Amino acid sequence: MRQVKKRTNRRVRIIRNLLLSGLMAGALWVMLGFPAWSRAMLARQIARENLLSDPEILYIEREGAFSRMYLRCGACFLEAPVYRQGLLWRIAGGAQMYVPTEGILCLPAGGEDRLLVLGDTGDAVRMEVEIRVDGDLDGTVDGVYTAAGEAVSPGVFSLPVDPMGAPASTGTFRNRWPRQLSYTLTAYGQNGDALWEIQLERSGLEETV
Protein backbone atom coordinates (compact mmCIF):
# COMPACT_ATOMS: atom_id res chain seq x y z
CA MET A 1 0.00 0.00 0.00
CA ARG A 2 2.81 2.36 0.93
CA GLN A 3 4.67 1.59 -2.35
CA VAL A 4 1.55 2.36 -4.38
CA LYS A 5 1.18 5.67 -2.57
CA LYS A 6 4.84 6.57 -3.26
CA ARG A 7 4.43 5.81 -6.96
CA THR A 8 1.27 7.91 -7.07
CA ASN A 9 3.01 10.85 -5.39
CA ARG A 10 5.92 10.55 -7.83
CA ARG A 11 3.56 10.68 -10.80
CA VAL A 12 1.80 13.70 -9.33
CA ARG A 13 5.12 15.50 -8.88
CA ILE A 14 6.20 14.69 -12.44
CA ILE A 15 2.92 15.95 -13.88
CA ARG A 16 3.07 19.08 -11.70
CA ASN A 17 6.64 19.83 -12.80
CA LEU A 18 5.70 19.37 -16.45
CA LEU A 19 2.75 21.75 -16.06
CA LEU A 20 4.92 24.33 -14.30
CA SER A 21 7.59 24.05 -17.01
CA GLY A 22 4.93 24.53 -19.70
CA LEU A 23 3.51 27.58 -17.92
CA MET A 24 6.96 29.11 -17.51
CA ALA A 25 7.82 28.49 -21.17
CA GLY A 26 4.50 30.06 -22.22
CA ALA A 27 5.08 33.09 -20.01
CA LEU A 28 8.59 33.53 -21.42
CA TRP A 29 7.23 33.26 -24.98
CA VAL A 30 4.69 36.00 -24.20
CA MET A 31 7.36 38.21 -22.58
CA LEU A 32 9.53 37.87 -25.69
CA GLY A 33 6.68 39.13 -27.87
CA PHE A 34 5.46 35.83 -29.37
CA PRO A 35 8.55 35.01 -31.49
CA ALA A 36 8.17 32.30 -34.13
CA TRP A 37 9.69 28.84 -33.83
CA SER A 38 10.08 28.47 -37.59
CA ARG A 39 10.02 30.48 -40.82
CA ALA A 40 6.58 29.08 -41.65
CA MET A 41 5.22 30.26 -38.28
CA LEU A 42 6.76 33.71 -38.83
CA ALA A 43 5.18 33.89 -42.29
CA ARG A 44 1.75 33.17 -40.79
CA GLN A 45 2.29 35.90 -38.19
CA ILE A 46 3.22 38.45 -40.87
CA ALA A 47 0.20 37.48 -42.97
CA ARG A 48 -2.19 37.76 -40.00
CA GLU A 49 -0.85 41.20 -39.09
CA ASN A 50 -1.76 42.32 -42.63
CA LEU A 51 -5.20 40.64 -42.54
CA LEU A 52 -4.09 37.96 -45.01
CA SER A 53 -3.87 34.17 -44.85
CA ASP A 54 -2.23 31.13 -46.44
CA PRO A 55 1.21 32.73 -47.01
CA GLU A 56 3.71 31.18 -49.41
CA ILE A 57 7.37 31.93 -48.70
CA LEU A 58 8.88 32.95 -52.04
CA TYR A 59 12.35 34.04 -51.00
CA ILE A 60 14.46 35.06 -48.01
CA GLU A 61 17.30 37.46 -48.77
CA ARG A 62 20.07 37.98 -46.23
CA GLU A 63 21.27 41.53 -45.51
CA GLY A 64 23.91 41.26 -42.83
CA ALA A 65 22.35 40.51 -39.44
CA PHE A 66 18.87 40.93 -40.92
CA SER A 67 17.00 39.25 -43.75
CA ARG A 68 14.06 40.18 -45.97
CA MET A 69 11.23 37.70 -46.28
CA TYR A 70 9.08 37.81 -49.41
CA LEU A 71 5.65 36.22 -49.14
CA ARG A 72 2.68 35.74 -51.41
CA CYS A 73 -0.90 35.58 -50.18
CA GLY A 74 -3.11 35.17 -53.25
CA ALA A 75 -2.81 38.34 -55.35
CA CYS A 76 -0.86 40.21 -52.62
CA PHE A 77 2.89 40.15 -52.03
CA LEU A 78 4.52 41.07 -48.72
CA GLU A 79 8.09 42.19 -48.01
CA ALA A 80 9.12 42.11 -44.33
CA PRO A 81 12.44 42.64 -42.50
CA VAL A 82 13.12 39.68 -40.21
CA TYR A 83 15.96 38.31 -38.10
CA ARG A 84 16.86 35.17 -36.19
CA GLN A 85 17.49 35.25 -32.45
CA GLY A 86 18.90 31.92 -31.36
CA LEU A 87 16.31 29.33 -32.40
CA LEU A 88 13.56 31.94 -32.82
CA TRP A 89 12.47 34.11 -35.76
CA ARG A 90 11.27 37.69 -35.23
CA ILE A 91 9.93 40.59 -37.29
CA ALA A 92 12.20 43.65 -37.38
CA GLY A 93 9.58 46.10 -38.66
CA GLY A 94 6.33 46.50 -40.53
CA ALA A 95 5.70 44.64 -43.78
CA GLN A 96 5.23 46.37 -47.14
CA MET A 97 2.35 45.14 -49.29
CA TYR A 98 2.36 45.09 -53.10
CA VAL A 99 -0.40 44.16 -55.56
CA PRO A 100 1.10 43.56 -59.03
CA THR A 101 -1.23 43.65 -62.02
CA GLU A 102 0.30 40.61 -63.76
CA GLY A 103 1.33 38.50 -60.77
CA ILE A 104 5.01 39.46 -61.18
CA LEU A 105 6.78 41.68 -58.66
CA CYS A 106 9.91 43.67 -59.61
CA LEU A 107 11.84 45.35 -56.79
CA PRO A 108 15.20 47.12 -56.47
CA ALA A 109 17.32 45.08 -54.06
CA GLY A 110 20.72 45.42 -52.45
CA GLY A 111 21.27 49.07 -53.37
CA GLU A 112 21.43 50.23 -56.99
CA ASP A 113 22.98 47.13 -58.47
CA ARG A 114 20.34 44.38 -58.33
CA LEU A 115 16.75 43.75 -59.36
CA LEU A 116 14.53 41.14 -57.70
CA VAL A 117 11.88 39.49 -59.88
CA LEU A 118 9.47 37.00 -58.35
CA GLY A 119 5.97 35.65 -58.86
CA ASP A 120 4.29 34.07 -61.88
CA THR A 121 7.40 33.34 -63.93
CA GLY A 122 6.29 29.84 -64.97
CA ASP A 123 9.05 27.51 -66.18
CA ALA A 124 11.56 30.32 -66.74
CA VAL A 125 15.14 29.58 -65.71
CA ARG A 126 16.66 32.78 -67.10
CA MET A 127 15.33 36.33 -67.21
CA GLU A 128 16.40 39.38 -69.19
CA VAL A 129 14.96 42.76 -68.22
CA GLU A 130 15.13 46.25 -69.66
CA ILE A 131 14.35 48.95 -67.12
CA ARG A 132 13.26 52.38 -68.34
CA VAL A 133 13.31 55.33 -65.96
CA ASP A 134 10.57 57.69 -67.16
CA GLY A 135 11.17 61.42 -66.85
CA ASP A 136 8.88 63.92 -65.17
CA LEU A 137 7.59 65.05 -68.57
CA ASP A 138 5.55 62.70 -70.74
CA GLY A 139 7.70 60.86 -73.29
CA THR A 140 11.04 61.69 -71.68
CA VAL A 141 13.46 59.02 -70.44
CA ASP A 142 16.03 59.73 -67.73
CA GLY A 143 17.84 56.39 -67.86
CA VAL A 144 17.81 52.86 -69.22
CA TYR A 145 19.20 49.78 -67.46
CA THR A 146 19.53 46.11 -68.31
CA ALA A 147 19.46 43.11 -65.98
CA ALA A 148 19.92 39.42 -66.76
CA GLY A 149 20.62 36.18 -64.95
CA GLU A 150 19.55 32.73 -63.85
CA ALA A 151 16.92 31.86 -61.24
CA VAL A 152 18.25 31.71 -57.66
CA SER A 153 15.30 29.51 -56.69
CA PRO A 154 12.14 28.42 -58.57
CA GLY A 155 10.31 31.55 -59.73
CA VAL A 156 12.83 33.95 -58.15
CA PHE A 157 15.49 35.99 -59.97
CA SER A 158 18.07 38.25 -58.32
CA LEU A 159 19.63 40.05 -61.27
CA PRO A 160 22.70 42.34 -61.51
CA VAL A 161 21.78 45.69 -63.07
CA ASP A 162 23.92 47.68 -65.51
CA PRO A 163 23.20 51.15 -66.97
CA MET A 164 23.04 51.69 -70.70
CA GLY A 165 25.03 54.84 -71.38
CA ALA A 166 25.10 57.54 -68.72
CA PRO A 167 21.76 57.99 -66.90
CA ALA A 168 20.80 61.43 -65.65
CA SER A 169 21.51 62.16 -61.99
CA THR A 170 17.79 61.68 -61.33
CA GLY A 171 17.62 58.62 -63.54
CA THR A 172 18.60 55.86 -61.12
CA PHE A 173 15.92 53.23 -60.95
CA ARG A 174 15.82 53.14 -57.12
CA ASN A 175 14.98 56.84 -56.60
CA ARG A 176 12.19 56.66 -59.19
CA TRP A 177 10.65 53.40 -58.00
CA PRO A 178 7.86 52.49 -58.39
CA ARG A 179 5.71 54.85 -60.44
CA GLN A 180 8.29 56.10 -62.93
CA LEU A 181 9.72 52.73 -63.90
CA SER A 182 8.73 50.53 -66.83
CA TYR A 183 9.99 46.99 -67.37
CA THR A 184 10.26 44.70 -70.37
CA LEU A 185 10.79 41.13 -69.16
CA THR A 186 11.83 38.25 -71.43
CA ALA A 187 11.81 34.74 -69.94
CA TYR A 188 13.80 31.77 -71.25
CA GLY A 189 13.39 28.04 -70.64
CA GLN A 190 15.84 25.20 -70.07
CA ASN A 191 16.69 24.87 -73.76
CA GLY A 192 17.30 28.60 -74.20
CA ASP A 193 14.08 29.30 -76.11
CA ALA A 194 12.13 32.45 -75.25
CA LEU A 195 8.99 31.48 -73.30
CA TRP A 196 7.25 34.84 -73.06
CA GLU A 197 7.74 38.60 -73.00
CA ILE A 198 5.77 41.09 -70.97
CA GLN A 199 5.82 44.86 -70.47
CA LEU A 200 5.02 46.36 -67.08
CA GLU A 201 4.22 50.06 -66.89
CA ARG A 202 4.57 51.90 -63.57
CA SER A 203 6.36 48.86 -62.10
CA GLY A 204 3.31 46.76 -62.87
CA LEU A 205 1.65 47.68 -59.57
CA GLU A 206 -2.03 48.24 -58.90
CA GLU A 207 -1.31 49.87 -55.57
CA THR A 208 1.16 50.02 -52.72
CA VAL A 209 0.10 50.15 -49.09
Side-chain angles (χ1 to χ4, degrees), residues 111-179:
E112 292 290 342
D113 58 350
R114 280 193 307 114
L115 176 72
L116 192 64
V117 179
L118 60 168
D120 295 337
T121 57
D123 296 326
V125 298
R126 177 177 172 81
M127 190 76 64
E128 294 181 0
V129 185
E130 182 181 279
I131 308 164
R132 189 182 76 241
V133 183
D134 299 322
D136 293 327
L137 300 177
D138 290 342
T140 62
V141 177
D142 284 352
V144 177
Y145 294 78
T146 58
E150 313 295 324
V152 294
S153 65
V156 179
F157 298 82
S158 182
L159 308 175
V161 174
D162 294 305
M164 294 180 64
S169 59
T170 57
T172 57
F173 74 92
R174 176 173 285 275
N175 64 26
R176 291 299 183 90
W177 190 89
R179 292 303 179 189

Side-chain angles (χ1 to χ4, degrees), residues 36 46 49 58 71 77 89 102 110 115 122 136 161 163-164 171 196:
I46 295 170
E49 289 180 0
L58 298 176
L71 308 175
F77 290 69
W89 285 87
E102 303 294 336
L115 176 72
D136 293 327
V161 174
M164 294 180 64
W196 48 263

Side-chain angles (χ1 to χ4, degrees), residues 8-194:
T8 303
N9 289 338
R10 188 178 300 116
R11 291 195 187 100
V12 170
R13 287 197 299 271
I14 291 173
I15 294 172
R16 182 188 61 194
N17 290 338
L18 288 174
L19 289 174
L20 287 174
S21 298
L23 288 173
M24 291 177 64
L28 180 61
W29 185 55
V30 173
M31 290 173 60
L32 291 174
F34 304 99
W37 303 104
S38 66
R39 292 183 294 182
M41 184 178 179
L42 181 65
R44 290 192 294 271
Q45 288 182 359
I46 295 170
R48 281 198 303 269
E49 289 180 0
N50 289 273
L51 305 179
L52 298 171
S53 60
D54 301 324
E56 174 191 1
I57 300 176
L58 298 176
Y59 186 54
I60 297 179
E61 181 180 49
R62 289 191 61 86
E63 294 180 353
F66 293 88
S67 300
R68 289 199 169 272
M69 179 178 282
Y70 296 91
L71 308 175
R72 185 172 187 177
C73 303
C76 299
F77 290 69
L78 293 170
E79 175 190 12
V82 301
Y83 65 98
R84 194 166 185 176
Q85 188 176 49
L87 298 176
L88 303 175
W89 285 87
R90 308 191 64 153
I91 305 171
Q96 177 71 46
M97 183 187 297
Y98 308 102
V99 185
T101 57
E102 303 294 336
I104 298 177
L105 182 62
C106 299
L107 293 173
E112 292 290 342
D113 58 350
R114 280 193 307 114
L115 176 72
L116 192 64
V117 179
L118 60 168
D120 295 337
T121 57
D123 296 326
V125 298
R126 177 177 172 81
M127 190 76 64
E128 294 181 0
V129 185
E130 182 181 279
I131 308 164
R132 189 182 76 241
V133 183
D134 299 322
D136 293 327
L137 300 177
D138 290 342
T140 62
V141 177
D142 284 352
V144 177
Y145 294 78
T146 58
E150 313 295 324
V152 294
S153 65
V156 179
F157 298 82
S158 182
L159 308 175
V161 174
D162 294 305
M164 294 180 64
S169 59
T170 57
T172 57
F173 74 92
R174 176 173 285 275
N175 64 26
R176 291 299 183 90
W177 190 89
R179 292 303 179 189
Q180 286 181 260
L181 293 185
S182 300
Y183 299 91
T184 300
L185 288 76
T186 306
Y188 296 87
Q190 288 281 3
N191 58 5
D193 292 340

